[in-house]
Amino acid sequence: MEVQFNTLYVVTQGASLRRDHLTLRVVVEKQTRLTVPIHHLDGVAVFGNVYVTPGLLQLCAEHGVAVCFLTEAGRLVCRVDAPGSGNVLLRRTQFRWADRPECGAAVARAIVAGKLHNGRGLLLRAGRESTDAADQATLHAAADHLAQTIRALPGVADTDSVRGHEGDAARTYFGAFSAMIRQARDTFRMDQRSRRPPLDPLNCLLSFLYSLLLHDCVAALASVGLDPSVGFLHVDRPGRPGLALDLMEEFRPLIAERVALALINRQQVKPAGFLRQEGGAVLMDDATRRTVLAAYQQRKRESVTHPLLDQKVPVGRLPFLQAKVLARHIRGDLATYVPCVLKG
């Protein structure tokens, strides 16, 4: 358990989170392991079998600290937030936009373009770092295919067609993903994308990182007053944060996939850290999960130049800044939605 970027992550199974006046207390086997003043926190994320007392939930709600409950594998189950958060006028406009095909398609095109630009950048970066001619050819071919899709997007009129182009590009991208892996490729190769449950170590690792990223995107959208449930690219489904899934698309290559590749290629995660369950599902052990959390938070601390602001910002702030860009576009302050595309 540790506090990173004002978010407390608790992965120790059997831990309990309790209120002690204006302090959050983490108890494991009747021993207090950590205390954090509530005003030091923006969020709490608990994984698996972790008990949160009603008193602590009330304290968090009173101070605007969201509590996210996730499975051990990192899938978001629910989020408990303070009532009355958000901007009702902005949300009303968001809902109207979601019902207008031309508005939804324009935002969806920009989101997919941003995702493909960043994915292409990751492929080209891996191609420059690779010393294997076959891997380089695979990566450059995939990057070229993504470039063709990006050029085709402005002519796509409806959201369903945007989803079709995104799906085709995703198959090409993940088809080349194994060429970016330089260590333990037999274990961490990408045969096909699988989730709920992930069926191999690489999918397990990616799914966990995507869940962490989704948690941050939900928080980012809520912080600017948008409804995380009503999106443009992802179809509305009960219990699914569609707009948060939209927002995270352009950050998957920049944050989640880059972290996964670094962990594997630096041998910070080992094949032995992934456990196969009955039925074929694959989970990480506690030590591997902590290693992944630490790497994710380290990536969030790194500084990059924001393409719109043209100034250095921590990677962890990018979803929050992008949520503001989207909110300004929906309010009419920006004529077009500009995705977050980083160079290199």
Side-chain angles (χ1 to χ4, degrees):
M1 64 202 74
E2 58 183 337
V3 179
Q4 298 281 3
F5 260 106
N6 296 333
T7 297
L8 171 65
Y9 294 91
V10 182
V11 299
T12 303
Q13 299 305 285
S16 62
L17 277 61
R18 303 176 182 276
R19 176 176 185 168
D20 186 356
H21 300 289
L22 295 179
T23 298
L24 181 153
R25 189 157 54 94
V26 182
V27 178
V28 180
E29 297 179 349
K30 299 183 179 180
Q31 299 291 322
T32 298
R33 298 290 183 85
L34 182 70
T35 58
V36 186
I38 194 65
H39 63 272
H40 287 177
L41 294 174
D42 293 330
V44 176
V46 299
F47 296 81
N49 181 29
V50 177
Y51 176 62
V52 183
T53 66
L56 180 63
L57 286 174
Q58 180 180 344
L59 177 67
C60 289
E62 289 170 350
H63 289 80
V65 177
V67 180
C68 289
F69 293 86
L70 304 99
T71 66
E72 274 194 82
R75 182 172 63 84
L76 181 66
V77 176
C78 70
R79 174 184 167 93
V80 181
D81 208 346
S85 61
N87 182 324
V88 65
L89 298 178
L90 177 60
R91 291 190 183 208
R92 283 172 65 90
T93 305
Q94 175 191 351
F95 299 155
R96 293 191 189 101
W97 274 43
D99 288 334
R100 292 168 57 189
E102 67 278 11
C103 293
V107 176
R109 279 196 301 269
I111 289 169
V112 171
K115 175 184 179 178
L116 298 186
H117 272 293
N118 290 326
R120 183 172 181 270
L122 193 62
L123 291 169
L124 292 173
R125 177 191 178 103
R128 291 193 299 270
E129 294 175 350
S130 176
T131 57
D132 185 280
D135 287 346
Q136 290 176 341
T138 297
L139 293 168
H140 283 102
D144 289 344
H145 182 85
L146 264 59
Q148 293 173 11
T149 305
I150 293 167
R151 289 193 292 269
L153 280 173
V156 179
D158 61 276
T159 306
D160 283 341
S161 297
V162 174
R163 296 186 188 109
H165 280 71
E166 188 275 335
D168 178 64
R171 283 188 292 273
T172 299
Y173 176 75
F174 282 113
F177 203 89
S178 293
M180 293 190 279
I181 295 172
R182 300 191 298 273
Q183 300 290 337
R185 187 176 291 185
D186 288 343
T187 297
F188 291 108
R189 65 177 297 105
M190 172 64 75
D191 292 321
Q192 61 179 356
R193 183 76 181 104
S194 63
R195 58 194 181 97
R196 297 187 185 179
L199 301 177
D200 58 66
L202 179 55
N203 276 292
C204 175
L205 178 57
L206 287 173
S207 291
F208 186 74
L209 287 164
Y210 291 154
S211 294
L212 297 176
L213 181 56
L214 180 61
H215 166 273
D216 289 344
C217 289
V218 169
L221 292 166
S223 73
V224 300
L226 290 167
D227 188 330
S229 300
V230 182
F232 304 104
L233 178 63
H234 288 82
V235 176
D236 290 346
R237 290 182 187 169
R240 184 165 81 165
L243 190 61
L245 291 168
D246 288 357
L247 182 64
M248 73 179 280
E249 288 294 339
E250 53 203 84
F251 297 112
R252 287 177 185 249
L254 293 177
I255 302 177
E257 288 149 16
R258 181 162 171 171
V259 169
L261 290 167
L263 284 166
I264 294 168
N265 290 335
R266 294 171 185 169
Q267 296 182 288
Q268 292 173 280
V269 295
K270 306 285 187 180
F274 294 83
L275 311 174
R276 190 170 297 278
Q277 309 294 301
E278 291 185 13
V282 174
L283 295 176
M284 288 181 278
D285 62 21
D286 285 348
T288 301
R289 193 178 295 114
R290 291 189 180 95
T291 298
V292 176
L293 279 169
Y296 180 76
Q297 295 301 335
Q298 178 58 40
R299 173 60 176 157
K300 287 169 64 175
R301 285 191 289 267
E302 295 174 5
S303 293
V304 295
T305 300
H306 191 279
L308 195 59
L309 300 177
D310 194 26
Q311 64 186 45
K312 291 283 187 179
V313 298
V315 169
R317 284 183 58 196
L318 292 178
F320 291 85
L321 292 170
Q322 204 59 24
K324 291 181 179 180
V325 172
L326 181 57
R328 290 186 64 191
H329 176 49
I330 291 174
R331 283 198 302 264
D333 297 335
L334 286 176
T336 58
Y337 174 68
V338 183
C340 182
V341 176
L342 298 187
K343 295 180 180 179

